Amino acid sequence: MSLKNKIFPLLPLLLVLVAGGAFGIMYLTKSRGNSNDSAATQTKNIDEDSSASTQEVIDQVNIDSANEAIASIQPISAAPSSNPTISYGRLMLINPNYMVENDFIAARKKELISLYSTYGILELHAGNGDNLLDPEAAAQINNMLDGYAIANPGHSIQTVSCFRSVGTKCGRLCAATGASDHHTGLTCDLIDPVYGTSLDTSQYAQHIEWQWLKENSYKYGFIDRFPETWAGGSMDEPLNVDATGTTGLYETWHYRYVGVYAATEIATGVYNNGEYDSLEHYLLARNLVTDLLNKQ
């Protein structure tokens, strides 16, 4: 039989085999493509999930910040006063231009707790009575003083004066009744007893507690209430409280609770070109007060 006659009967079988092979290759190629598409889809899903998770975190931070910003101007006291900033709670402003009445001072005192009885924080000036403070501020000052002790082994911080029912008369460094930041129940004068009990700004360089507080207090919601750059001159000069935010005072020991959100903005100078702000200027910049010389 010729070669042609031998191959011809097998031709249909050969065609089937060739077609089958081609189909197999096409199937494998398509399967590999589907596999790659699936992997790409999975990678895309992972990226989308990761992006979504990151966005959720960002959104939550923004929500928390917004909530804290709102909380920082919520009333925390039921004490009555014609001072309009009382409604701002932690951010209430009390100074010679924004004074409070005796009724406010008496009512506010009843809302406070003892730092000594609650946390064992000593009051070093016996004549000032108990070191009373707002409960929220008290919890945070306790955390802050613990932070100082941990950072500076062998050292501690105690109070020299917190809430005051009456003002004092000792020149520019003292405020009359109704004008003192100590009426807020959010303020304490602080000192490390290793340096005694004398509050003297000229000793700032020797007091590591005042330096530590300046750098760290905002993390606990406290601010340097009367920073030097907002003092408006020497303490020997007449009181200078102006319309731009000058406080008229320079006290390295005086710390005021405003909450972590506001304290961070003040300490990092969000509204003051990156420099430590005054509470007065901060309230003005946030449009919470429009005239620092006259109560609105």
Side-chain angles (χ1 to χ4, degrees):
M1 182 182 293
S2 68
L3 180 62
K4 179 179 179 180
N5 291 335
K6 290 181 179 178
I7 293 176
F8 188 76
L10 298 175
L11 188 57
L13 179 60
L14 291 172
L15 290 174
V16 171
L17 292 174
V18 170
F23 178 78
I25 292 171
M26 291 174 62
Y27 177 79
L28 289 173
T29 302
K30 184 177 181 181
S31 296
R32 187 176 295 112
N34 288 340
S35 176
N36 291 337
D37 290 345
S38 178
T41 300
Q42 290 177 6
T43 300
K44 182 180 179 182
N45 289 340
I46 291 172
D47 290 342
E48 289 177 348
D49 290 343
S50 177
S51 177
S53 298
T54 300
Q55 188 59 49
E56 288 173 358
V57 170
I58 294 173
D59 290 343
Q60 188 58 51
V61 169
N62 290 335
I63 290 172
D64 290 344
S65 295
N67 288 340
E68 178 60 24
I70 293 170
S72 71
I73 54 174
Q74 294 298 307
I76 60 171
S77 171
S81 176
S82 62
N83 184 330
T85 69
I86 297 307
S87 62
Y88 297 159
R90 303 170 187 162
L91 294 181
M92 67 177 74
L93 179 63
I94 298 178
N95 64 22
N97 295 327
Y98 281 76
M99 297 179 68
V100 293
E101 301 80 10
N102 288 331
D103 287 346
F104 170 88
I105 298 171
R108 184 60 175 143
K109 183 176 182 179
K110 295 176 182 178
E111 298 173 335
L112 311 180
I113 65 172
S114 165
L115 284 177
Y116 177 69
S117 298
T118 309
Y119 297 107
I121 298 171
L122 295 174
E123 167 59 41
L124 299 179
H125 195 299
N128 288 332
D130 205 352
N131 48 3
L132 302 178
L133 205 64
D134 178 85
E136 181 181 324
Q140 285 293 74
I141 204 170
N142 182 60
N143 292 335
M144 182 167 72
L145 301 196
D146 282 347
Y148 172 75
I150 291 171
N152 300 277
H155 286 265
S156 66
I157 291 178
Q158 309 296 340
T159 70
V160 179
S161 180
C162 293
F163 176 79
R164 292 178 189 162
S165 294
V166 296
T168 52
K169 297 178 181 179
C170 59
R172 183 169 170 177
L173 281 176
C174 299
T177 300
S180 175
D181 190 59
H182 286 273
H183 298 326
T184 63
L186 299 165
T187 292
C188 279
D189 292 341
L190 303 171
I191 195 169
D192 186 332
V194 72
Y195 302 108
T197 60
S198 177
L199 303 176
D200 184 351
T201 55
S202 69
Q203 298 298 312
Y204 176 79
Q206 288 75 46
H207 282 244
I208 61 171
E209 83 279 36
W210 294 340
Q211 297 172 37
W212 186 91
L213 287 168
K214 180 82 171 184
E215 296 174 1
N216 296 280
S217 64
Y218 74 91
K219 301 171 187 176
Y220 304 89
F222 284 84
I223 59 169
D224 175 1
R225 177 67 178 88
F226 300 117
E228 184 175 18
T229 53
W230 287 97
S234 167
M235 296 303 100
D236 295 329
E237 299 172 1
L239 182 66
N240 176 24
V241 179
D242 65 22
T244 66
T246 296
T247 66
L249 295 174
Y250 170 41
E251 298 183 351
T252 60
W253 54 81
H254 185 118
Y255 278 81
R256 161 73 183 274
Y257 184 72
V258 294
V260 174
Y261 179 86
T264 300
E265 290 203 318
I266 289 170
T268 58
V270 170
Y271 296 100
N272 189 38
N273 299 316
E275 299 298 324
Y276 215 106
D277 213 346
S278 73
L279 178 59
E280 281 82 354
H281 180 264
Y282 178 74
L283 295 176
L284 190 67
R286 284 190 61 180
N287 294 315
L288 295 173
V289 170
T290 58
D291 185 348
L292 287 172
L293 298 182
N294 299 285
K295 289 190 296 186
Q296 312 102 49

